[in-house]
Amino acid sequence: MKLTVVAASGGIGRQLLEQAVGAGHEVTAVVRDPGKLGDVGVRVVRADLARAGAGELREAVAGADAVLSGLGAVGKAGVGVAEAGTRAVVGAMREAGVRRLLVVSAAPVGTVASPDRPNPPRHDPGEGPVMRYVLTPVVKRVLRAHYADLARMEDVVLAGGLDWTVVRPPRLTDGPLTCDYRVAYGQNLRGGSKVSRADVAHCMLRGVSDPDTVGRILGVAY
């Protein structure tokens, strides 16, 4: 398949890139700074995804069977890139006639308000008592701006008219690829407090050709 990986030099983006190449896919990598990517032997397109009108994206997604995005803020300065960058990606895909989009969000986002969903549920149905009353409230306070950005990003994805999948992992680690993770549709996973970036990438790549994941939100965790 022909795949476009957005934010390919980031934690999940790098895993998407390496696993896709390893599986024999034809990959285009979209990055703001190609120097961070190194020599990876794939087509590289430079685009500043913090600017919603990034025209280079049309060329990057043209002809792709699917677009996979690892966009997300790194530090306070990056807050906003998930929404703005995804809006640019969705626009470029619609112009190019590309329909399959998979993005990574975060487990707490299902209970975060957004413009299109001002009254989200107070609790995720998949959370146990410790996650619901202790861990999630703490994390949401610390990363409030990041999760608000991701919630707005999800609004963009769901309203974009594409064949989308949103993957919501909990705490990300740099652990190895295990392929031994759990997936739940429309909710988080009870007892699932972490998952490696490598396994999130594997889940996304596996979902590219799985029709059951289209138009669905996936919780993924160990």
Side-chain angles (χ1 to χ4, degrees), residues 52-111:
E56 303 91 339
L57 287 172
R58 288 191 295 272
E59 176 189 353
V61 304
D65 295 302
V67 177
L68 302 101
S69 174
L71 269 175
V74 178
K76 292 182 179 179
V79 171
V81 70
E83 177 192 8
T86 302
R87 192 178 301 280
V89 169
V90 168
M93 290 177 65
R94 295 180 64 167
E95 290 181 14
V98 177
R99 295 202 52 81
R100 190 72 176 105
L101 173 64
L102 300 95
V103 304
V104 64
S105 184
V109 172
T111 58

Side-chain angles (χ1 to χ4, degrees), residues 24 42 55 57 64 78 83 102 135 148 156 170 178 191-192 198 211 216 219-220:
V42 303
L57 287 172
E83 177 192 8
L102 300 95
L135 298 181
V156 171
T178 70
R216 306 292 292 273
V220 56

Side-chain angles (χ1 to χ4, degrees), residues 26-54:
E26 181 181 341
V27 181
T28 295
V30 178
V31 292
R32 184 175 64 177
D33 181 3
K36 292 183 178 180
L37 200 57
D39 184 9
V40 291
V42 303
R43 177 184 177 219
V44 178
V45 174
R46 183 184 181 279
D48 185 355
L49 295 170
R51 299 179 179 178

Side-chain angles (χ1 to χ4, degrees), residues 1-215:
M1 286 188 292
K2 294 181 67 175
L3 304 177
T4 298
V5 177
V6 177
S9 61
I12 290 175
R14 173 74 70 166
Q15 289 292 334
L16 286 168
L17 175 61
E18 293 178 357
Q19 291 182 38
V21 170
H25 299 301
E26 181 181 341
V27 181
T28 295
V30 178
V31 292
R32 184 175 64 177
D33 181 3
K36 292 183 178 180
L37 200 57
D39 184 9
V40 291
V42 303
R43 177 184 177 219
V44 178
V45 174
R46 183 184 181 279
D48 185 355
L49 295 170
R51 299 179 179 178
E56 303 91 339
L57 287 172
R58 288 191 295 272
E59 176 189 353
V61 304
D65 295 302
V67 177
L68 302 101
S69 174
L71 269 175
V74 178
K76 292 182 179 179
V79 171
V81 70
E83 177 192 8
T86 302
R87 192 178 301 280
V89 169
V90 168
M93 290 177 65
R94 295 180 64 167
E95 290 181 14
V98 177
R99 295 202 52 81
R100 190 72 176 105
L101 173 64
L102 300 95
V103 304
V104 64
S105 184
V109 172
T111 58
V112 174
S114 66
D116 288 354
R117 197 177 59 156
N119 299 299
R122 184 176 180 184
H123 302 294
D124 186 283
E127 292 180 337
V130 174
M131 185 68 70
R132 175 174 294 187
Y133 298 111
V134 180
L135 298 181
T136 296
V138 171
V139 172
K140 285 172 67 176
R141 282 196 297 272
V142 173
L143 297 175
R144 181 180 303 172
H146 293 74
Y147 291 148
D149 184 22
L150 290 173
R152 294 191 301 270
M153 176 202 73
E154 290 192 10
D155 283 354
V156 171
V157 171
L158 271 61
L162 303 176
D163 297 332
W164 56 267
T165 301
V166 173
V167 177
R168 290 178 178 166
R171 181 171 65 88
L172 295 168
T173 77
D174 290 323
L177 174 65
T178 70
C179 304
D180 186 20
Y181 50 83
R182 298 177 293 148
V183 173
Y185 288 94
Q187 64 180 50
N188 295 331
L189 288 142
R190 186 172 292 268
S193 62
K194 64 181 180 180
V195 66
S196 73
R197 292 175 175 85
D199 278 327
V200 173
H202 183 272
C203 177
M204 294 174 71
L205 286 166
R206 189 173 68 175
V208 168
S209 56
D210 183 354
D212 288 341
T213 67
V214 175

